[in-house]
Amino acid sequence: MTPVSFKGLSLGSGVPKICVPITGVDSNTVIGQAGEAVSSSADIAEWRLDYFNDLEDTAGILSTANRLVEILGDLPLIVTLRDRAEGGKRQIADADYLRLYTQIMLRTDVTAIDIEWRRDPTITDQLITLAHAHQVRTIISHHEFEHTPTKSEMMAQLKKMAQLNGDVVKLAVMPESNDDVLNLMVATHDASQNISQPIITMAMGSLGAVTRVAGQTFNSVLTFATTSAVSAPGQLTVDQTRQILKIIAQ
């Protein structure tokens, strides 16, 4: 696994980094949550654009993105447009997905975008190529909100995502048993021995909470925590996560 730089922050070396979600429905709320992120001990912020009320207002989105970059300063910014099928708040057509991400990469200085693995391959290829050309990092992601695949299936998913040549791969699953949680951790560790990109994985809900703080043990490089806005079930606060990460790293 080769570490990747997100605005000077190394993903894939040292303690797992902490990302906080920004989930405001309008620009004012988004900006307020960005201020909370800066005041916290988070390492990265993720703007969940699917929460935003007016996805048709491209100019407003670009203006808000540029304001976010300014406020966050040294904190890297990931922009994520999560489809409802992947646990997001919107159903987003491929053409709209491509259009909005393209404008964001061309007209803002965001650090990274999250690209859904299950999108039309021609869409993902275009976005990854454009991102590379404009020095925007890419996280190739997949979310299983209904269940946890088998260990071999998860390893296969991570390897297939890595083959798209994005910068980071991410898999989130919904566990139904302790075995599901253990299988995710083993699959992540084993895949990290065969994939050059850093890997982000997590099991959601209270059952999977351990995966949000034990990433250093099984080679998951980033965890998601909250200041106030929760973007997925099972998230701990930034302070809780930081304290546990420090204890585990000792």
Side-chain angles (χ1 to χ4, degrees), residues 19-24 33 45-51 80 82 86-89 143 145 170 172 202 204-205 212 223-236:
C19 181
V20 294
I22 294 173
T23 58
Q33 291 178 356
E46 177 190 42
W47 184 18
R48 281 288 302 272
L49 192 50
D50 50 294
Y51 279 78
T80 297
R82 183 76 66 227
E86 294 267 341
K89 298 300 180 182
H143 297 71
F145 264 79
K170 176 190 175 190
M202 68 212 65
M204 294 174 282
R212 295 184 179 275
T223 188
F224 292 79
T226 178
T227 54
S228 59
V230 175
S231 62
Q235 285 179 353
L236 305 173

Side-chain angles (χ1 to χ4, degrees), residues 148-158 171 179-180 182-188 190-191:
T148 298
T150 66
K151 182 172 65 176
S152 61
E153 287 172 339
M154 288 187 283
M155 287 184 64
Q157 288 175 342
L158 289 166
L171 175 64
D179 284 343
D180 285 342
L182 289 171
N183 283 339
L184 173 72
M185 292 192 286
V186 172
T188 306
D190 290 352

Side-chain angles (χ1 to χ4, degrees), residues 94-160:
D94 283 340
D96 295 330
Y97 191 83
L98 175 62
R99 174 189 57 80
L100 193 49
Y101 266 153
T102 297
Q103 289 299 307
I104 288 169
M105 286 191 283
L106 291 178
R107 300 174 61 186
T108 77
D109 291 321
V110 303
T111 308
I113 61 169
D114 178 297
I115 300 174
E116 292 166 347
W117 170 49
R118 291 298 197 185
R119 288 278 170 182
D120 183 323
T122 61
I123 299 294
T124 56
D125 286 347
Q126 287 181 68
L127 289 173
I128 292 168
T129 299
L130 185 64
H132 286 163
H134 289 270
Q135 291 75 54
V136 177
R137 294 299 193 186
T138 52
I139 300 172
I140 311 302
S141 69
H142 181 56
H143 297 71
E144 298 274 8
F145 264 79
E146 300 298 326
H147 75 300
T148 298
T150 66
K151 182 172 65 176
S152 61
E153 287 172 339
M154 288 187 283
M155 287 184 64
Q157 288 175 342
L158 289 166
K159 289 179 181 178
K160 288 178 181 177

